[in-house]
Amino acid sequence: KQEVTQIPAALSVPEGENLVLNCSFTDSAIYNLQWFRQDPGKGLTSLLLIQSSQREQTSGRLNASLDKSSGRSTLYIAASQPGDSATYLCAVINNAGNMLTFGGGTRLMVKP
Amino acid sequence: NAGVMQNPRHLVRRRGQEARLRCSPMKGHSHVYWYRQLPEEGLKFMVYLQKENIIDESGMPKERFSAEFPKEGPSILRIQQVVRGDSAAYFCASSLLPRTGNTGELFFGEGSRLTVL
């Protein structure tokens, strides 16, 4: 059974810092990995998707890497801003499955 | 190009009543997934449907919960005889299939928040 863990559970940083969010998964036979953002009381916004054959994806100030063999992904946020404050969720789809398995999320607060 | 549309956004029910949550997938998507997010918990898979078929309901509680995705109209998640423990945010996602040759990316709606009094 796939299990996804995100560390840290919560993070508070001053504006402008570069930061790294970590995600680990137990079963390396994944189809893809997705990073989402969730604002309080809102839905999920897809940030980046990494196919199992890829090593990283970039979008603006966000960069996500994938090391499938070690079961790890990181989300790098450059020059953080207060508007980045949200919960960041990591999720994987297994090769043999149909559903996303989510981590518990990292609650990020960026202070002005 | 509208995204995944869910309604109602908020629903209040008394114990024992029925709750019906609706989801219209993105245009061109014929595969729908329902997830539940309990307060202060992560998202958990409930059910995966294609048009007129339930493909995987391994995350669905055995009693009181049912889902459908008819040939015409939105997908419906139905909860009968609701209890307080059903209070949660219910999210719908859709994807473009077949997965082969497709990134498998899921797009989520804004969710329906059910409160059971």
Side-chain angles (χ1 to χ4, degrees):
Chain A
K1 178 186 172 186
Q2 178 73 272
E3 292 182 3
V4 181
T5 303
Q6 290 187 246
I7 295 172
L11 183 63
S12 180
V13 300
E15 182 177 6
E17 274 202 7
N18 301 323
L19 50 98
V20 174
L21 308 182
N22 297 294
C23 171
S24 62
F25 45 94
T26 55
D27 184 350
S28 62
I30 64 169
Y31 184 76
N32 67 35
L33 182 146
Q34 240 176 305
W35 282 94
F36 294 89
R37 168 183 173 142
Q38 185 177 27
D39 292 281
K42 301 290 186 180
L44 279 69
T45 302
S46 179
L47 297 173
L48 291 165
L49 179 144
I50 310 177
Q51 295 282 76
S52 62
S53 59
Q54 297 174 326
R55 297 284 293 181
E56 66 177 346
Q57 284 287 333
T58 298
S59 176
R61 294 182 294 107
L62 304 179
N63 175 277
S65 66
L66 174 64
D67 184 344
K68 201 173 72 165
S69 60
S70 67
R72 293 179 186 174
S73 176
T74 60
L75 178 67
Y76 176 81
I77 303 176
S80 58
Q81 302 171 359
D84 294 331
S85 298
T87 296
Y88 290 82
L89 297 163
C90 165
V92 299
I93 291 182
N94 280 24
N95 284 332
N98 299 302
M99 76 291 283
L100 281 170
T101 301
F102 281 86
T106 294
R107 290 188 306 279
L108 172 65
M109 176 171 290
V110 181
K111 300 177 183 177
Chain B
N1 184 15
V4 177
M5 304 301 291
Q6 290 188 246
N7 68 83
R9 293 290 311 279
H10 299 275
L11 183 64
V12 178
R13 285 287 179 266
R14 297 191 181 280
R15 282 179 296 172
Q17 292 184 318
E18 178 179 286
R20 283 188 180 228
L21 311 177
R22 289 175 289 278
C23 170
S24 296
M26 284 183 69
K27 187 176 181 181
H29 289 191
S30 57
H31 300 265
V32 165
Y33 310 77
W34 285 93
Y35 287 80
R36 177 166 66 173
Q37 188 175 38
L38 293 167
E40 304 302 320
E41 292 189 21
L43 282 95
K44 304 294 184 187
F45 168 78
M46 298 182 74
V47 62
Y48 163 42
L49 309 105
Q50 297 178 20
K51 286 281 188 181
E52 300 183 278
N53 284 301
I54 296 174
I55 306 303
D56 183 345
E57 56 182 348
S58 58
M60 191 90 99
K62 294 288 186 286
E63 297 179 349
R64 304 187 296 108
F65 285 73
S66 62
E68 63 176 7
F69 190 14
K71 187 176 179 181
E72 301 291 336
S75 174
I76 307 286
L77 179 67
R78 181 183 179 203
I79 311 171
Q80 295 178 289
Q81 299 176 324
V82 296
V83 301
R84 287 209 174 117
D86 297 332
S87 295
Y90 292 83
F91 290 96
C92 171
S94 72
S95 70
L96 177 67
L97 279 189
R99 207 165 73 174
T100 302
N102 165 49
T103 62
E105 186 171 9
L106 267 65
F107 297 86
F108 280 78
E110 290 282 297
S112 291
R113 281 154 184 82
L114 172 66
T115 301
V116 179
L117 301 178

